[in-house]
Amino acid sequence: MENLQEYTIKVYSENHIGLLNRLTIIFTRRKINIESLTTSEYHIPGVHSFTIVVNTSESMVKKVVQQIEKLVDVLKAFYYQTDNIIYQEIALYKVPTSALTHTNEIEKLVRQYNARILEVTPDYTALEKTGHKEETQELLEKLKPFGILEFVRSGRVAITKPMKELAVHLQEKEDATNYTNHTNITVE
Amino acid sequence: MKTKKDKPLYNVKSGQEITGSEALVLSLLEEGVDRIFGYPGGAIMPVYDALYDYLDKIEHILVRHEQGAAHAAESYAKILGKPGVALVTSGPGATNLITGLANAMIDSTAMVCISGQVPSGLLGTDAFQETDVIGITMPVTKWNYQITHPWEIPGVMAKAFYIASTGRPGPVMIDITKDAQFGKLKWHYEKCTKIRSYFPSPKVQPEKIDEAAKLINAAKKPLLIAGQGILISNAQQELETLVTKADIPVTTTLLGLSAFPSDHPLYVGMPGMHGNMAPNIKTNECDLLIAVGMRFDDRITGKLEEYAPQAKIIHFEIDPSEIGKNVPIDVPIIGDAKEALSLLIPKVKKTSHKEWITSFHKEYENEYDKVIRPARHSDQGEIRMDEVVHLISEKSEGKAIVVTDVGQHQMVTARNYRFKTSRSWVTSGGLGTMGFGLPAAVGAKVARPDREVIAFIGDGGFQMTIQELGTIAQSNLPVKIVVLNNSFLGMVRQWQDMFFDKRYSFTELVNPDFITIASGYGIRGRFVSDRKDLESAIDDLIKSKDAFILEVKVMKEQNVFPMVPSGESVSNMRIE
Ligand SMILES: Cc1ncc(C[n+]2csc(CCOP(=O)(O)OP(=O)(O)O)c2C)c(N)n1
């Protein structure tokens, strides 16, 4: 068995109905669990980007990316190891406001972890922290003694370190493609 | 599309307002479709109604089950090299296509299937005969799309045909709501020639061709495996030119049969689980393996770790995701086989590998003595499948289009029919779909009414789609059907015999009288159980101007040999 590792897959696609479904089928069919998935519009109009995090082997992630790229509506797909991307996740925490008023521990945590207070009501206080999973998780652990009313963490968003732009990749792919039909078969 | 005399194909002018249904039919005409397979129902009725005005342009073959429409369309596509079309209703009509879509997907066949759908306002309400066709067909289609507005029809249909037939071909499913069929649009059609996110056919890289030529020119013991890719890209001529020049023995995969003439001096048979001994054994002796348009399926490679470890491998393949998927490749050549082979031919040296090729012939003689001759030419005991196929191969002069179902008879047919003409073989490879044979024979005959179509089918598989006898009768298709009846699910029984201590768990069949059933459809036939009647019955089959069924009672417990047992090395062929 090859080593499992965390890979971040970036997919650039048309914004078409059903594409997400087609993407996830590629993973489920190979019994690969998706750790996180986020999708948003890219800065090029009409293009969508997906950031997908999986734990798998290098040979498998390679095959998966090739299968993804084969989808008609996918422009291009890549996979990266963590040191080749810049990434973040965002976490929201809801704690009872009473916990804040009784001690100044929470305020300390907010400063220490570079978190933000989003909203304070007599009942609850909403906090936000952006960072890597370990960081948002650490804050969660620290807040647990004060009572967590709600917690949520987003999927990963990532930009990549390599400088080659998508448009260049696409142009190369286009230049390397024949678009015409198969030779029309003449039946003897 | 215009006809030769530049007469318009239809009388609707660009910009004219027409219904969605008519637009769908006109789109088919624009794509050069003149024959389709289908079955009507509520949600597709408007299209059937529009079709009624174009019966002189499009012949519609009414099948007896939608699975039959899919298999017939696939077979049609394989024979003609253009997309087959199936037309069905929503819900059960669409779900009945699934096996056929899966079959075409794994066997890379261009197909455009169209299903009716409930009106868009009812989508997601569990309306009568509503099924999530897009969701359910996603894993078994190259692309699918649901049309909910009439004006989407021309563009989507153009895209459907383009995607189905370019690059690595595959099935496309178009689901069209009833309101989109009834609605109006201004007619305008443009063929699709490019899609921003779709890169169908990578250009062949000349450096790779040079690398390949170097390996070929240096090889002492080269072996070429030709797959279906040769037929899809129509590269039969290039293949022959290349191997004749560089004197390379050729083996064709199950789906590649008929891409290279069986009587060619360089032809060495079929590789794989029930293939010939020479190509299997020599796979592990060659110094260079040249794979063209095939995908190293496990039925060909056997145990991967022991598949050609000594050889360098060149892989010609249009789908980049196939490179290295199963077998590590030394030189990948990504692109269209015809283009790649044409570039390669001038770069290879004219050479001879006489000794190497003779070693294949020796291996064949060995196989012939031990396996082939006893099976083809036994003169006592029960009739064997091999005898029947061999005789039909001789009597049809290797010129028929041969169709099979799935099982022992399929392997026996692949081993014993000797193809003289290309594009003459239709079988279910990757999926191994029992029930494929009879509807595939329908599709082949519709594609080539001028050619003899002979279907070899087992008694098990025949009963999976036997209702298509009705299609053959109604559409007057002179298809020749050979039922090789062993009263067993033979291939499964063989595995039980070899690997499960002969525990024949639910593989014995109590069968009806097939000749009587066929005669109920008005199809004549003969039943043969005695060897002395076989030849005259085959003559009747071949001479018949109408559909004909020949049922041969064959040896009940015949095993197909040689065999590479599942998961073993291709060098370990068992002959008993
Ligand atoms: C739809 C389907 N169900 C089951 C199988 C498994 N299977 C493979 S071969 C075979 C036996 C086929 O028997 P028959 O049609 O009589 O042909 P024979 O092997 O005897 O030539 C079966 C059951 C299959 N391939 N397809």
Side-chain angles (χ1 to χ4, degrees):
Chain A
M1 184 90 183
E2 278 181 86
N3 275 346
L4 297 192
Q5 258 203 50
E6 187 181 88
Y7 290 97
T8 301
I9 298 171
K10 297 277 297 178
V11 181
Y12 303 91
S13 74
E14 300 290 352
N15 182 17
H16 287 170
I17 291 179
L19 181 60
L20 178 60
N21 215 340
R22 278 203 181 264
L23 275 176
T24 54
I25 285 172
I26 290 175
F27 293 90
T28 46
R29 193 175 154 193
R30 291 166 181 80
K31 272 202 109 132
I32 301 170
N33 196 21
I34 294 177
E35 301 296 327
S36 91
L37 186 155
T38 52
T39 168
S40 65
E41 206 177 341
Y42 200 53
H43 66 281
I44 302 172
V47 176
H48 249 62
S49 88
F50 294 77
T51 309
I52 305 169
V53 182
V54 290
N55 283 310
T56 187
S57 64
E58 166 123 39
S59 65
M60 184 55 91
V61 77
K62 217 175 191 166
K63 285 178 191 175
V64 162
V65 164
Q66 282 180 326
Q67 294 298 327
I68 292 174
E69 232 180 91
K70 200 160 115 177
L71 297 178
V72 169
D73 291 328
V74 167
L75 293 154
K76 190 84 189 133
F78 305 90
Y79 68 94
Y80 303 94
Q81 290 186 344
T82 314
D83 52 6
N84 250 322
I85 53 170
I86 298 143
Y87 66 97
Q88 290 287 38
E89 284 131 0
I90 186 163
L92 301 178
Y93 312 75
K94 184 165 137 189
V95 292
T97 300
S98 55
L100 249 94
T101 46
H102 289 153
T103 76
N104 59 359
E105 275 300 304
I106 291 188
E107 199 197 318
K108 264 202 216 153
L109 287 173
V110 167
R111 286 178 192 283
Q112 187 188 335
Y113 280 89
N114 248 331
R116 285 205 304 152
I117 295 177
L118 295 179
E119 189 171 313
V120 185
T121 75
D123 296 328
Y124 65 83
T125 296
L127 308 176
E128 175 217 298
K129 163 148 187 70
T130 301
H132 291 180
K133 184 175 171 186
E134 310 79 66
E135 299 165 336
T136 54
Q137 186 66 26
E138 206 177 297
L139 178 58
L140 177 69
E141 297 304 329
K142 293 273 164 70
L143 288 171
K144 270 185 185 166
F146 306 99
I148 296 281
L149 298 171
E150 232 182 282
F151 169 73
V152 66
R153 177 166 39 227
S154 75
R156 172 176 297 182
V157 291
I159 49 179
T160 62
K161 293 185 183 174
M163 286 299 288
K164 193 163 161 182
E165 283 177 46
L166 179 64
V168 179
H169 280 290
L170 291 181
Q171 191 59 51
E172 282 177 7
K173 238 180 136 176
E174 201 180 310
D175 293 343
T177 300
N178 286 325
Y179 286 91
T180 43
N181 252 307
H182 286 296
T183 338
N184 269 336
I185 286 148
T186 36
V187 171
E188 73 282 6
Chain B
M1 198 177 100
K2 299 268 175 78
T3 57
K4 279 193 196 105
K5 287 172 206 142
D6 257 13
K7 262 208 297 198
L9 202 55
Y10 46 82
N11 292 324
V12 176
K13 294 202 173 50
S14 202
Q16 193 176 324
E17 197 175 71
I18 57 171
T19 63
S21 316
E22 187 169 12
L24 192 92
V25 175
L26 297 188
S27 304
L28 295 177
L29 291 176
E30 286 281 353
E31 294 297 335
V33 174
D34 50 12
R35 278 156 285 178
I36 66 176
F37 305 87
Y39 207 91
I44 196 72
M45 282 180 68
V47 173
Y48 267 88
D49 189 59
L51 192 60
Y52 207 60
D53 289 329
Y54 290 90
L55 294 184
D56 56 330
K57 302 268 179 7
I58 296 183
E59 185 189 349
H60 174 278
I61 289 86
L62 179 63
V63 293
R64 290 299 179 271
H65 184 291
E66 289 87 350
Q67 180 184 352
H71 293 331
E74 176 170 359
S75 173
Y76 177 88
K78 279 200 191 303
I79 294 296
L80 290 187
K82 66 180 203 174
V85 176
L87 183 65
V88 302
T89 192
S90 68
T95 56
N96 276 348
L97 285 181
I98 302 296
T99 304
L101 290 170
N103 196 87
M105 184 72 174
I106 200 162
D107 282 351
S108 310
T109 316
M111 230 164 50
V112 174
C113 296
I114 301 153
S115 57
Q117 180 57 281
V118 302
S120 56
L122 294 181
L123 286 171
T125 65
D126 300 323
F128 179 65
Q129 293 192 330
E130 184 195 0
T131 310
D132 174 10
V133 169
I134 296 304
I136 209 169
T137 60
M138 215 166 251
V140 291
T141 50
K142 185 173 174 186
W143 187 67
N144 62 7
Y145 190 85
Q146 183 176 62
I147 296 176
T148 49
H149 301 292
W151 53 86
E152 293 179 279
I153 291 170
V156 170
M157 291 305 291
K159 226 175 136 177
F161 278 88
Y162 179 65
I163 291 170
S165 60
T166 47
R168 179 177 181 172
V172 166
M173 182 85 217
I174 301 299
D175 192 39
I176 169 164
T177 59
K178 207 169 177 179
D179 51 327
Q181 300 169 41
F182 276 128
K184 298 265 172 127
L185 70 151
K186 284 211 164 65
W187 173 247
H188 176 67
Y189 200 87
E190 235 172 275
K191 280 223 172 193
C192 179
T193 51
K194 191 173 182 179
I195 297 167
R196 178 170 76 162
S197 58
Y198 175 59
F199 307 91
S201 178
K203 284 182 190 157
V204 175
Q205 291 178 282
E207 319 82 84
K208 293 289 171 197
I209 294 290
D210 291 341
E211 281 177 49
K214 227 176 176 176
L215 287 183
I216 292 172
N217 290 334
K220 299 268 176 297
K221 301 179 192 174
L223 172 61
L224 189 144
I225 309 186
Q228 190 189 205
I230 295 286
L231 294 163
I232 295 171
S233 82
N234 218 21
Q236 298 92 319
Q237 196 52 58
E238 288 74 8
L239 172 67
E240 192 171 344
T241 310
L242 173 75
V243 296
T244 313
K245 188 170 177 195
D247 206 27
I248 304 170
V250 177
T251 171
T252 49
T253 67
L254 179 67
L255 288 187
L257 287 178
S258 92
F260 196 74
S262 310
D263 55 1
H264 196 285
L266 287 170
Y267 186 63
V268 296
M270 180 176 82
M273 183 176 274
H274 288 294
N276 294 102
M277 300 186 49
N280 277 326
I281 291 167
K282 300 287 165 186
T283 293
N284 281 358
E285 291 175 14
C286 66
D287 58 2
L288 178 65
L289 196 60
I290 307 157
V292 190
M294 56 82 75
R295 59 184 178 85
F296 295 103
D297 177 78
D298 54 270
R299 286 293 192 263
I300 283 186
T301 62
K303 190 175 183 183
L304 276 174
E305 299 77 45
E306 289 171 31
Y307 183 77
Q310 80 296 344
K312 291 251 187 262
I313 305 183
I314 305 173
H315 192 186
F316 291 77
E317 171 58 53
I318 200 162
D319 175 359
S321 74
E322 286 296 344
I323 302 291
K325 190 179 81 176
N326 301 329
V327 171
I329 301 302
D330 296 285
V331 180
I333 297 181
I334 305 173
D336 181 69
K338 192 184 183 80
E339 182 195 348
L341 294 180
S342 317
L343 292 171
L344 180 61
I345 290 165
K347 307 226 157 156
V348 299
K349 285 204 269 275
K350 190 158 173 51
T351 38
S352 150
H353 299 290
K354 207 165 165 208
E355 227 174 287
W356 169 238
I357 288 159
T358 312
S359 75
F360 282 81
H361 296 160
K362 284 215 182 92
E363 204 60 71
Y364 180 77
E365 278 157 29
N366 180 30
E367 181 181 345
Y368 188 81
D369 286 342
K370 295 205 170 106
V371 186
I372 300 172
R373 192 186 29 212
R376 278 185 195 164
H377 303 289
S378 53
D379 45 16
Q380 53 195 7
E382 299 165 282
I383 303 176
R384 290 168 177 246
M385 290 184 182
D386 308 66
E387 287 176 70
V388 184
V389 179
H390 172 67
L391 251 180
I392 292 177
S393 178
E394 305 253 288
K395 300 236 172 209
S396 59
E397 296 167 2
K399 287 181 188 156
I401 291 179
V402 177
V403 179
T404 75
D405 208 80
V406 167
Q408 291 185 311
H409 67 278
Q410 175 189 32
M411 292 301 128
V412 169
T413 307
R415 290 177 53 80
N416 288 285
Y417 198 89
R418 288 175 309 285
F419 296 93
K420 296 233 168 62
T421 34
S422 177
R423 223 170 263 292
S424 298
W425 168 249
V426 185
T427 199
S428 166
L431 203 65
T433 308
M434 280 173 72
F436 180 80
L438 194 59
V442 167
K445 192 70 200 180
V446 170
R448 290 298 302 265
D450 57 323
R451 287 188 62 188
E452 179 85 288
V453 173
I454 305 176
F456 293 90
I457 307 181
D459 46 314
F462 192 36
Q463 293 177 78
M464 283 206 174
T465 47
I466 196 166
Q467 69 278 1
E468 300 307 334
L469 289 173
T471 310
I472 290 169
Q474 179 166 354
S475 299
N476 279 319
L477 300 168
V479 166
K480 311 295 171 65
I481 304 157
V482 182
V483 178
L484 298 173
N485 185 352
N486 52 14
S487 300
F488 264 115
L489 297 172
M491 187 55 96
V492 180
R493 187 209 51 74
Q494 171 168 354
W495 285 49
Q496 288 171 334
D497 179 4
M498 294 175 69
F499 312 117
F500 291 89
D501 295 331
K502 267 193 192 253
R503 287 155 58 87
Y504 291 166
S505 180
F506 300 100
T507 42
E508 192 157 11
L509 292 177
V510 175
N511 285 323
D513 177 344
F514 293 123
I515 301 297
T516 304
I517 289 182
S519 84
Y521 283 101
I523 297 169
R524 287 187 311 118
R526 270 184 75 174
F527 172 81
V528 171
S529 59
D530 197 332
R531 180 168 284 110
K532 70 175 175 10
D533 302 327
L534 185 59
E535 203 173 327
S536 80
I538 289 175
D539 288 336
D540 284 353
L541 173 93
I542 287 175
K543 278 194 205 118
S544 175
K545 294 265 177 286
D546 306 312
F548 194 93
I549 178 170
L550 168 61
E551 179 188 352
V552 186
K553 194 168 166 49
V554 294
M555 187 187 277
K556 272 195 89 169
E557 299 188 32
Q558 181 193 340
N559 288 350
V560 186
F561 286 113
M563 176 178 191
V564 180
S566 184
E568 286 191 27
S569 159
V570 287
S571 329
N572 302 341
M573 283 213 94
R574 288 173 61 172
I575 56 165
E576 54 182 16

